[in-house]
Structures are given as C-alpha cells and as structure tokens.
Amino acid sequence: VVDSLSPALPTVGSTLTVAGTLTNDSNISLRDVGVRLRAGGSAVASRSALTAAATDPSAVDGPTLAQRPGFVTLAPGASTTFELSVPLTQTTFPATGVLPLAVESVDGAAALLGAVGTTILWYPEKANAPSPVPLTMLWPLVSSAARDADGVVLGGEVASEFAPGGRLDTLLALGAREAAGLSWAVDPQTLEMVGTLGSSHQELVDGAPVPRPPDAAASNWLALLRQSTSAPGVDVTASGYANPDSTAEVSAGLDRDLVRATATASEQVELGLGRKVRDGVSWPPGGLVDDRTLGLLRGAGVNSVVLSQAGVESAAAVLPAGGLIRLGTDSGPITAIVGDDELANSLRMLAAGPQWATLGRQNYLALTALAAQDGLGIVVSPPLDWSPAPDQLLTLLAAVKASG
C-alpha cells in the first residue's frame, strides 16, 4: 500500500517521495522481492482513462523512475516498508498533465507481483497548466441531534465532536484557514447543541439526567465559527434543522415538520452567528430527493437544492457535474446545485486510513485538473458527516489553492 506521496503538487527542483508498505498476502514465501516506481508514458485525458489507470496500474507503460536498492525475502503475511525518491527535472516525465504512476512489486526476474496506481499533476511550465475554473467547496457543519425534548444531552459522544481533535473541531479549524474560499453550510441544530453544551446543562447517564458544568471547548468552537464567518464575502448558508432526511419525512407524512425545519433554518443560524446568511437552500442527505419532496421544499421557500448527480428522480438527462440545472416542480422551478460524485468519493477516502487518504487526495487533484482542462466549473459536496484525516485535508486544501 502507498501511505504517503509528497509533494502533492510536484515541481521542477523538488523531490518526489513515495512511501508505503509491501506485504506478502500469498501462502508461499517470496524471494528477491523488489519495489519500483513507474510513470505512465502519456498523460490521462479523461475521467474514464483516469479510472482505467487506477483500476489496472499494471498497464502503466512508461519509464522506471526509482527502485529500492536490494531485494528482500517475505514469508507469508510478512511486511516490509519502502521509500522511493526521485529528484525532478524538466525531463523526468515523458509527458505533461495528469500522469499515472504505479508502485510495483517485482521478483528477481522483474516479473510483476502486484501494483498500486495513483496520479500526479505535472506542469513543469506554469503556462502549460490549465486555466483555473470556478470551484465551489461546500463545508458542512452538522452535529448529531443528541438531545431529548427537555434539552437533556444524550450521552457524551456529541460533546467529543467539539472537543480538541474531534470531528467538528477539526473541520472548523481547517476550514477557518480558508474561510473565504469555502461555502459554509451550518445546521441550526448544531448551533443550539453547542449553545447547550457551553452552558450549564444536563447529560443522560445510566438513564438519569446528571448536572454538567459549561463545556469550554464548545464555547471556544462557537467563538471560532463566529470569527471565521464574520468577514465580508464569506459565504454562509443555513442547512435544514437537524439535517432532515427530506424524502423519508415526506413518505412518513411529516410534511409540516420538514417545512418548519426548512423555513426557520436561516433565522436560527443568523441568530446563532450574529450575521446574515443565505437562505432558501436545502441539502438532503446523500444529495437524494424525489419529485414530491422537491415540490414541497420549493413550496416552503427553498429555491436551490444540493444534489448528487443521481439525485433527482425526475431528471431524464444525466445531470452535469458541477453544474446548475433548473428543475420543474408542482410549486415552481427550483435550481439543482449538482455536486461532483467522483470528487465526493475522493473526499470519503480521506477518512479511510493513510493509504486510502493519499490515493483519494491525488485522485481529487487529478479530477479537478481534468475539469479545468475541459473548462468545467466544479461543485464539491462532501458527506454531511465526513471526518477526513486532518493532515491529508490540509495538504489537499493547500494544493488546490496553489494550483489556481
């Protein structure tokens, strides 16, 4: 597996370093095992080609860039680490653009034993890089709704989300570094929850409410959110109260609850943040909604809805990634903000361990570069409950910023 690749955006004069772990997952001992790094002979020009390169890294047919000195013997189940480094010059790679890479394990006769594929962006001349395109990065802040009707906090798990190193603490801290470049989506229930935790409150322990003092971490979290979103030009949207599953609520006959959760959201977020926010936006879980629910949302004042590419039952045509499309409903037209499903999948990989996070980060950069080559705008809609690895997300945000 590949645990790390740096720099995320290599340049002439830098050193590309790929590190990871090689494991013998067969039931026989392997002798004279080596590891090498190869580059594709040509750049990837489409998403389908990118998928093909990742699916079959053994097809990477370019030069060998580096090989670990010596060979090892691996018993069944045994592992060894590796690190491959390549000083980069103008002519290191045979092509410019989105380049496939393969980390290969080979035997003493150079026969392929296994391979992992990834990509890099290689533009030795800045003038050859694609022109930047509009990129909207949605940044959801949604906590679990762990309170009963009397405001008693149901266990300590939700408080851990706001504590140092917690999921929402991490997202806010990283988002605060790029606040003006993000589109914040704030759940009003989350603001209520952090307000409850930041005051004297009760927590359910072994079936009984127990008094708790104010949680300083929750108060600090709210203060940083207000500070980060206070500057002019920072885009903040109110999502539906407690992240309602719109379609499920309509199916269960809870139309009024959905309308209330949607119609009052912006007012509640404005009260919590002390600033005006954009209203009329709904973000159904998974970006999925049916025709009936879409009409109900429109009737409740929603004029835009964040959807996945497969998110509208009534859309006969395939929705364009990163596009805006007008959809008709019984209550009038509504705008679908179409998130890029493949980019969302890449972001999910940031929470799946170092090896997947590195591959997901590089795949994200490759997808955005291909979109830029085609002149397409991009909308990125992470999972509402995403929990990315902080170091990988920070590297990704810095690379996106540096690339345009």
Side-chain angles (χ1 to χ4, degrees):
V1 296
V2 173
D3 293 324
S4 66
L5 183 155
S6 64
L9 288 178
T11 57
V12 172
S14 64
T15 297
L16 178 65
T17 301
V18 181
T21 304
L22 176 64
T23 301
N24 178 6
D25 57 7
S26 73
N27 57 6
I28 62 173
S29 183
L30 298 176
R31 299 180 59 188
D32 298 332
V33 178
V35 184
R36 68 188 183 191
L37 177 66
R38 297 185 69 190
S42 59
V44 169
S46 67
R47 290 191 171 205
S48 59
L50 180 64
T51 300
T55 304
D56 184 17
S58 64
V60 171
D61 57 357
T64 296
L65 303 177
Q67 183 156 343
R68 192 178 75 167
F71 297 90
V72 297
T73 296
L74 291 176
S79 298
T80 184
T81 59
F82 64 85
E83 182 175 289
L84 305 171
S85 295
V86 187
L88 301 180
T89 69
Q90 196 85 17
T91 59
T92 299
F93 298 104
T96 297
V98 179
L99 295 181
L101 294 179
V103 179
E104 301 177 337
S105 60
V106 293
D107 63 17
L112 186 65
L113 298 174
V116 174
T118 185
T119 54
I120 60 165
L121 307 188
W122 179 244
Y123 299 103
E125 299 289 343
K126 187 70 174 177
N128 294 332
S131 299
V133 295
L135 187 152
T136 301
M137 180 73 168
L138 303 179
W139 204 261
L141 296 177
V142 180
S143 74
S144 56
R147 289 179 302 165
D148 66 15
D150 297 320
V152 177
V153 177
L154 305 178
E157 290 79 7
V158 66
S160 67
E161 293 191 290
F162 302 100
R167 185 180 70 86
L168 289 173
D169 175 73
T170 297
L171 285 176
L172 176 57
L174 294 177
R177 303 187 184 201
E178 304 291 340
L182 305 175
S183 184
W184 299 78
V186 181
D187 166 28
Q189 185 279 144
T190 298
L191 296 182
E192 284 189 0
M193 176 61 77
V194 79
T196 295
L197 294 171
S199 306
S200 296
H201 60 281
Q202 292 186 317
E203 178 185 326
L204 195 67
V205 179
D206 296 330
V210 175
R212 296 297 192 202
D215 186 328
S219 298
N220 293 339
W221 188 91
L222 182 57
L224 179 58
L225 177 60
R226 287 172 172 164
Q227 176 186 337
S228 302
T229 57
S230 64
V234 175
D235 182 47
V236 181
T237 297
S239 62
Y241 186 92
N243 184 29
D245 187 335
S246 307
T247 300
E249 291 203 4
V250 171
S251 298
L254 301 175
D255 299 28
R256 291 184 178 180
D257 292 338
L258 177 59
V259 169
R260 184 166 54 251
T262 303
T264 62
S266 60
E267 180 181 348
Q268 292 172 298
V269 173
E270 288 176 356
L271 182 63
L273 296 184
R275 56 153 288 173
K276 297 289 290 183
V277 302
R278 196 149 49 92
D279 60 4
V281 178
S282 176
W283 189 347
L288 301 173
V289 70
D290 62 16
D291 290 345
R292 180 184 171 199
T293 305
L294 204 60
L296 183 68
L297 290 171
R298 183 67 188 93
V302 171
N303 48 50
S304 299
V305 59
V306 179
L307 300 175
S308 67
Q309 288 167 265
V312 181
E313 189 178 270
S314 61
V318 175
L319 299 180
L324 300 178
I325 184 171
R326 295 286 280 177
L327 301 173
T329 77
D330 293 340
S331 304
I334 193 169
T335 298
I337 304 169
V338 187
D340 189 305
D341 288 356
E342 291 187 67
L343 284 172
N345 287 334
S346 294
L347 291 179
R348 287 187 182 93
M349 293 172 70
L350 295 186
Q355 68 273 30
W356 294 110
T358 297
L359 300 181
R361 183 195 73 200
Q362 294 305 118
N363 192 60
Y364 182 102
L365 295 173
L367 289 168
T368 55
L370 291 175
Q373 288 176 187
D374 295 334
L376 300 175
I378 304 166
V379 174
V380 186
S381 52
L384 289 168
D385 61 349
W386 72 318
S387 182
D391 56 339
Q392 294 285 5
L393 181 56
L394 184 60
T395 301
L396 175 61
L397 292 174
V400 170
K401 186 175 182 179
S403 64

